[in-house]
Amino acid sequence: MRAESLGDRRLSLVCEAGVLRDFRRIADMLNRLASRWLRPLPALRLRARGLPLVPAPPSGAKAPCLPVWAVASVSAAGAGGWYEALAASAPVRGAEAVLLGTQAATGLPWWGSILLTTVAVRGAVTLPLAAYQHYILAKVENLQPEIKNIARHLNQEVAVRANQLGWSKRFARLTYLKSMRRFVSELYVRDNCHPFKATVLVWIQLPVWIFMSVALRNFSTGATNSEAGFSVQEQLATGGVLWFPDLTALDSTWILPVSVGVVNLLIVEIFALQKIGMSRFQMYITHFVRVVSVLMIPIAATVPSSIALYWLCSSLMGLSQNLLLRSPGFRQLCRIPLTKSDSKTPYKDLFAAFHTKFISRK
């Protein structure tokens, strides 16, 4: 039992090492972005065109109530920064074109165009990638019994060899880990399900989220290089609805920012409820994402309502996508392999787990 437990522990270290490296890369990217997110965009050469730096709002409309950073000129930040390059990059211009094209094709107000664009992008890009992620993870889960069996036999074999050849504990452990990594890699290649493939969703979804957010910020501050940028800003100033009629201003009610945080927390809790007996590493990741979800509330309160609305729509689509991928029928449609942890009544089980954890808990 002790040898088997030690083997499982070593196997866990092997599997989590690769995930930790990917997580550190994502966290480093988010930290760099957060440290520069509030930097002002460069001022355009508007005086040469005879245009004001900040366009006047349409008659009868209030001037956008944005922080100083949102309309500051490049002289306050310095030219040539990486954020300025990002704001003028081809992917951001592409995101602007998608938003403008959706608004022109549908004739919807800007709040509706943002909503429709978010649904379309998430449905066409991230939903197939999320289904592929579940496909890979299901195949990896189905490999676990075979991996544990290999780990048990390998642990016994290394122990015998260590006694015969007088290996030190350190050398025996390194031999075990090296051999285990090789065997596991061979299994992943055999079934074409390396866990890194499951991270493709993150590497696509995160850049798309950034590009769309920067594009909306360009529109909201009038900082886009497009000549139509000023008319877009004016349209956004009157393109809101309900309590946020001005999409270039902050949401003073904090309804959008709080909603963003609550929906993201709900996604995290749904993920946590479906995991039984999480490892310490998984617990750390879950707590970290919870903290990020809470921090998104004050961050969303400092950006124009157009961005906060996009973040909320994106989070709601993420929640819907998470629930949809629990459906046995949809999983069968996507040819996701059955696993031991699959349930025939996922929504009933989820509600019961949620009720037990948050409502009936004494």
Side-chain angles (χ1 to χ4, degrees), residues 238-267:
T238 57
V241 69
L242 300 176
W243 68 89
F244 53 99
D246 184 356
L247 290 174
T248 65
L250 309 181
D251 182 8
S252 59
T253 66
W254 281 57
I255 295 178
L256 288 176
V258 171
S259 299
V260 170
V262 169
V263 174
N264 286 330
L265 278 175
L266 188 57
I267 294 174

Side-chain angles (χ1 to χ4, degrees), residues 142-317:
N142 288 335
L143 278 177
Q144 294 312 302
E146 187 173 354
I147 291 176
K148 289 182 178 180
N149 185 49
I150 292 175
R152 183 174 62 255
H153 288 291
L154 180 61
N155 188 52
Q156 295 173 353
E157 182 178 346
V158 169
V160 172
R161 290 295 182 89
N163 290 331
Q164 291 176 348
L165 303 178
W167 291 349
S168 65
K169 291 183 178 180
R170 181 176 180 276
F171 183 78
R173 182 175 64 87
L174 292 177
T175 302
Y176 170 84
L177 292 176
K178 182 178 179 180
S179 301
M180 195 63 211
R181 279 194 295 266
R182 179 169 58 85
F183 286 131
V184 172
S185 295
E186 290 175 355
L187 290 177
Y188 290 156
V189 171
R190 186 196 69 186
D191 288 6
N192 192 22
C193 63
H194 195 285
F196 183 78
K197 293 183 177 181
T199 66
V200 173
L201 174 63
V202 177
W203 300 116
I204 299 298
Q205 181 174 306
L206 183 59
V208 169
W209 183 85
I210 293 173
F211 298 149
M212 292 290 290
S213 300
V214 175
L216 286 169
R217 185 170 182 268
N218 286 352
F219 286 160
S220 299
T221 61
T224 178
N225 289 331
S226 171
E227 290 286 351
F230 297 98
S231 63
V232 170
Q233 186 187 32
E234 293 175 359
Q235 293 172 22
L236 285 173
T238 57
V241 69
L242 300 176
W243 68 89
F244 53 99
D246 184 356
L247 290 174
T248 65
L250 309 181
D251 182 8
S252 59
T253 66
W254 281 57
I255 295 178
L256 288 176
V258 171
S259 299
V260 170
V262 169
V263 174
N264 286 330
L265 278 175
L266 188 57
I267 294 174
V268 176
E269 296 307 324
I270 288 177
F271 171 81
L273 287 175
Q274 68 182 4
K275 296 294 183 180
I276 300 176
M278 288 193 295
S279 67
R280 182 177 300 179
F281 174 78
Q282 291 174 325
M283 288 295 297
Y284 287 155
I285 297 297
T286 303
H287 291 325
F288 174 79
V289 178
R290 285 191 180 111
V291 172
V292 172
S293 300
V294 174
L295 290 178
M296 284 298 294
I297 296 176
I299 294 175
T302 61
V303 299
S305 295
S306 59
I307 301 178
L309 176 62
Y310 166 67
W311 289 354
L312 177 59
C313 294
S314 181
S315 297
L316 287 172
M317 279 297 296

Side-chain angles (χ1 to χ4, degrees), residues 82-103:
W82 73 267
Y83 185 87
E84 288 75 15
L86 172 63
S89 65
V92 172
R93 292 290 172 249
E96 292 176 358
V98 170
L99 288 164
L100 289 171
T102 302
Q103 205 279 333

